[in-house]
Amino acid sequence: MSSMQSNSEISDLQEILRLQQGLQDITDCINAAQNVKQIILDSRPLILKLFNVEAAHIYVVNSKNKTEIYTYVLAGDQVKERKTEVSNQTIPGYVANTGRMINISDFSNNLQINKYSDLLLDSNTDSRFGVQVKHILAMPVVYGGEVLGAIEVINKKGKEEQFSDDEPVLLQEIVDVLGVALYNQQRVDPRAKKSKFSYLVSNGLITEEQLNLVKEESRASGDSFENILMNKYNVPKTEIGQSLEYFYQSRFISFDPNTPIPGDLLKNLRKDYLQREIWVPLEKSDKNVHVIIDDPQNIIKRDAIENLLKSKSIKYDVALKEDILKYIDFFFRENVEEATFTDLLGKLEGGDSSQEDEDEESVRDSDSAIIQLVNKIINDAFIRRASDIHIEPDVIDKNVLVRYRIDGDCVLYQTLPYSYRAAIISRIKIMSNLDITVKRIPQDGKIKLKKPGIGEIELRVVTIPTQGEVEDVVMRILAKGDSLPLEAMRITPRNYRELLKICERPYGMILCVGPTGSGKTTTLHAVLKHINTPDRKIWTAEDPVEITQRGLRQVQVHSKIGFDFAAAMRAFLRADPDVIMVGEMRDLETAKIGVEASLTGHLVLSTLHTNSAPETISRLLDMGIDPLNFADSLLGVLAQRLVRTLCEKCKEGYNPTQEEYDQIVESYGREYWLQQKISYSKNLKLYRPKGCDACDRTGYRGRIGLHELLINTDEIRKRSIERHESIDVIRKIAMEEGMLTLYQDGVLKAFQGLTDIKQVHRVCTSGR
């Protein structure tokens, strides 16, 4: 008995010595560290060993932005910074926000979680840096009454299922040492305050000696300080930005080619002056004017800026000289064929928005500068691949917004003085053959332009009176082009195979459905391209004719004179057709003619505005189509959406969390997901946008289709159409026969790296 007791005492003594030695090692490591990053990275393995845990993290409050804490983690051979908010949504954020300790021994136990009633986790789980949290001990790092950070140790190893009573005391001793060290690290040496780059030194990105060498090299070569830091010493631009933010106490702005051109601010500024003085205005809000400058503390420059912009309410942010010059070149960019925006604005008089009522008369739609301005808006939209142009007079901010829709998203392109609104809208009305005296009711028309090397482009124009006695204009660009082949449309193998089968049938009806702008006409023209052979006579009725093909006889309908889709189809039936494509089945009459034509030996293709393939069947039956005739005529329904594609040059792969994976599976439908054989693992990859020059920093470039193809099989014909079953019944039968819903098709394309889950959710509901 005494021998066992003796062994136990020896074991306890050894454990005490281990803890004391481990604590001393950590203390020495923290005190020896040269910067915050070294404290975090060097002490972590010692903390892991001391507490025998799976993970440990030290978070530090951002000294500039107190609402944020950060840590450093090793990702392979790279060190990455990870940030989280000082808020109750995460455990380290909660600890830093409340100053309270957290000790949870079982993360699946609601009673333990509920002890911290103001901890607002999304669910009773926590997974960070690839570790699923089971037990956690976390404390705030405090010095002088101020929270400087947080420390957490996660998941005891071995048989231990919770932290012992002694371990919070042990962690508190580490916290005390950390508090002093972080306080000392955050105190900036008075001599270092004179340097814009003291942040880089304190965070171990460069030494004082290297900074002095950079200074000498910059003086000798004429190259900028920042360029040498980035190119020779591999200091990331983001870190230089952090250093400038820390020094100037203002935001760091990088060049973004998607920034709208602030035409109303640039009107009285010269390009050469801005290049010499290194500043440029970015935008104007109801509160202030936003200006970027290389030195926000330069009082002389600030006085000059305030005099030129005639405002004392100016928000100054810092940017690199190279980025400011890029902005200036971008805003004043020259085109050999046309003047710059600022040149055009300079030619116009009466641009003071404070006197818009008087000045409006001095800016006329016949002014050459207004004509060039409208042409430039249209040409730039075409160059940027925009589908729509929105002209929006803003009665609150007193300016005119010009927005483009690019790849499905609206982006602000330009702001113009408010006094130009009437002249711009009148000019567009003249180009569209609309009545410029009518301002209280909507009008619609068309503009036709010729572009060198491209040919004719057409714009569909609509004017709408809006609040404040102004008018909005929306122009849709209907660029004529060639049809795409079916092989280029990213259709899944099953859908491609089945679509080929039905489009090669001699008669029947194929419908392509979806909202406006979802690519229905493009898809139908791809089908026509596949079956367009010399032995077939193909008629199309469209409004307007956007895509042309050799061999098709294409007709433009004109509803105003009574030549609508139904009239065109009746004419086609007397003109010996094999295939008829009608732009849209807008009414019962057109739908009836389509069904009758498909039953009398013709292949009919058309579009419809419905949300899904099963819903299309129900919609047509509700319109009054005869179920028996419709059941015999229908070959298939293809529903589609357009989703933004990830930029191939900059998209980045990541391993989704188990929770994210489970949510995708649940939305997809577990019973159908099993067929895909995509199980969760650490090697599973999804993709997300990053941003580069090729995609204008958006992370996306172009769009692809998501498809839902319902084939009218005997089962659907007999059980669903003839009996007029519900949408859910039709969908269930179609999915049992192999149909993928739009959401399911989108999820599979996300796993292929073509798009991301966020974009799929934007255009689709769940898969079931």
Side-chain angles (χ1 to χ4, degrees), residues 514-687:
T516 301
S518 59
K520 301 184 295 296
T521 302
T522 302
T523 298
L524 288 185
H525 268 280
V527 172
L528 290 177
K529 187 180 183 73
H530 180 75
I531 61 175
N532 183 8
T533 55
D535 59 330
R536 282 194 178 98
K537 175 75 174 199
I538 303 176
W539 286 102
T540 77
E542 302 169 70
D543 183 24
V545 176
E546 295 182 57
I547 301 171
T548 56
Q549 287 190 55
R550 184 178 286 105
L552 301 189
R553 307 313 301 154
Q554 296 177 261
V555 171
Q556 169 87 49
V557 300
H558 296 280
S559 300
K560 291 180 180 178
I561 61 173
F563 185 43
D564 55 14
F565 287 120
M569 288 191 72
R570 284 193 295 270
F572 291 165
L573 290 174
R574 299 190 295 271
D576 188 28
D578 292 307
V579 180
I580 295 172
M581 195 269 272
V582 58
E584 186 182 340
M585 286 189 172
R586 293 178 178 171
D587 49 44
L588 177 60
E589 183 184 6
T590 310
K592 278 185 174 180
I593 297 171
V595 170
E596 290 168 6
S598 62
L599 289 173
T600 54
H602 307 98
L603 183 64
V604 178
L605 290 78
S606 187
T607 72
L608 205 65
H609 289 144
T610 53
N611 290 323
S612 67
E615 183 183 319
T616 305
I617 293 174
S618 182
R619 171 77 62 85
L620 286 169
L621 292 174
D622 289 341
M623 283 172 61
I625 295 291
D626 180 76
L628 294 176
N629 287 343
F630 183 49
D632 288 338
S633 68
L634 184 67
L635 295 175
V637 183
L638 179 70
Q640 77 176 55
R641 299 286 188 280
L642 289 179
V643 65
R644 300 178 81 185
T645 48
L646 291 167
C647 174
E648 286 294 331
K649 293 189 176 181
C650 68
K651 68 180 180 182
E652 60 179 6
Y654 71 98
N655 178 235
T657 64
Q658 182 72 52
E659 183 180 7
E660 183 180 357
Y661 174 83
D662 290 341
Q663 288 174 350
I664 292 170
V665 172
E666 189 65 31
S667 299
Y668 189 99
R670 290 189 179 276
E671 63 273 30
Y672 302 108
W673 184 254
L674 293 173
Q675 302 169 15
Q676 302 303 327
K677 299 179 180 178
I678 303 176
S679 56
Y680 184 77
S681 71
K682 292 298 181 184
N683 296 321
L684 184 66
K685 272 194 175 184
L686 280 174
Y687 295 84

Side-chain angles (χ1 to χ4, degrees), residues 316-573:
Y316 294 96
D317 281 325
V318 66
L320 299 184
K321 177 181 177 181
E322 288 75 12
D323 282 350
I324 295 173
L325 294 177
K326 282 182 183 178
Y327 269 118
I328 295 169
D329 285 338
F330 176 66
F331 290 162
F332 290 81
R333 65 190 185 280
E334 299 285 348
N335 187 305
V336 293
E337 295 179 357
E338 49 192 340
T340 66
F341 252 105
T342 46
D343 286 343
L344 295 174
L345 294 174
K347 292 178 183 178
L348 295 166
E349 297 177 355
D352 186 357
S353 60
S354 64
Q355 299 178 342
E356 63 268 6
D357 293 333
E358 294 80 10
D359 293 341
E360 188 176 334
E361 295 300 320
S362 65
V363 184
R364 301 179 182 275
D365 54 69
S366 58
D367 289 347
S368 63
I370 283 289
I371 295 171
Q372 292 177 58
L373 196 62
V374 172
N375 288 342
K376 183 168 179 60
I377 290 170
I378 295 171
N379 288 337
D380 283 2
F382 191 84
I383 291 167
R384 291 192 177 199
R385 303 177 296 108
S387 60
D388 299 84
I389 306 167
H390 298 254
I391 312 291
E392 303 168 339
D394 188 332
V395 297
I396 298 173
D397 291 335
K398 296 297 182 183
N399 55 26
V400 180
L401 306 180
V402 181
R403 297 200 292 165
Y404 292 162
R405 187 176 295 279
I406 301 172
D407 290 339
D409 281 4
C410 271
V411 294
L412 183 60
Y413 162 66
Q414 178 70 243
T415 57
L416 299 172
Y418 191 62
S419 56
Y420 299 172
R421 67 194 185 282
I424 290 171
I425 291 169
S426 293
R427 174 59 191 165
I428 293 170
K429 283 183 176 181
I430 291 169
M431 295 171 73
S432 314
N433 293 319
L434 301 179
D435 190 340
I436 63 172
T437 64
V438 175
K439 299 181 180 180
R440 298 173 63 184
I441 60 173
Q443 298 185 72
D444 61 89
K446 290 180 181 177
I447 297 174
K448 289 187 178 181
L449 298 172
K450 287 188 177 180
K451 286 188 68 66
I454 296 172
E456 188 178 79
I457 63 172
E458 189 173 306
L459 294 94
R460 189 166 60 207
V461 181
V462 60
T463 68
I464 300 176
T466 49
Q467 186 271 334
E469 298 183 354
V470 295
E471 289 180 281
D472 278 29
V473 175
V474 178
M475 296 179 278
R476 165 153 289 191
I477 299 175
L478 308 171
K480 296 182 183 295
D482 297 328
S483 58
L484 289 173
L486 271 174
E487 301 82 24
M489 302 194 71
R490 303 280 191 163
I491 301 176
T492 60
R494 179 262 177 190
N495 289 346
Y496 180 73
R497 185 175 61 251
E498 295 295 336
L499 188 58
L500 287 187
K501 283 182 184 178
I502 60 174
C503 76
E504 289 169 355
R505 297 278 289 274
Y507 58 87
M509 185 161 65
I510 301 172
L511 298 173
C512 188
V513 303
T516 301
S518 59
K520 301 184 295 296
T521 302
T522 302
T523 298
L524 288 185
H525 268 280
V527 172
L528 290 177
K529 187 180 183 73
H530 180 75
I531 61 175
N532 183 8
T533 55
D535 59 330
R536 282 194 178 98
K537 175 75 174 199
I538 303 176
W539 286 102
T540 77
E542 302 169 70
D543 183 24
V545 176
E546 295 182 57
I547 301 171
T548 56
Q549 287 190 55
R550 184 178 286 105
L552 301 189
R553 307 313 301 154
Q554 296 177 261
V555 171
Q556 169 87 49
V557 300
H558 296 280
S559 300
K560 291 180 180 178
I561 61 173
F563 185 43
D564 55 14
F565 287 120
M569 288 191 72
R570 284 193 295 270
F572 291 165
L573 290 174

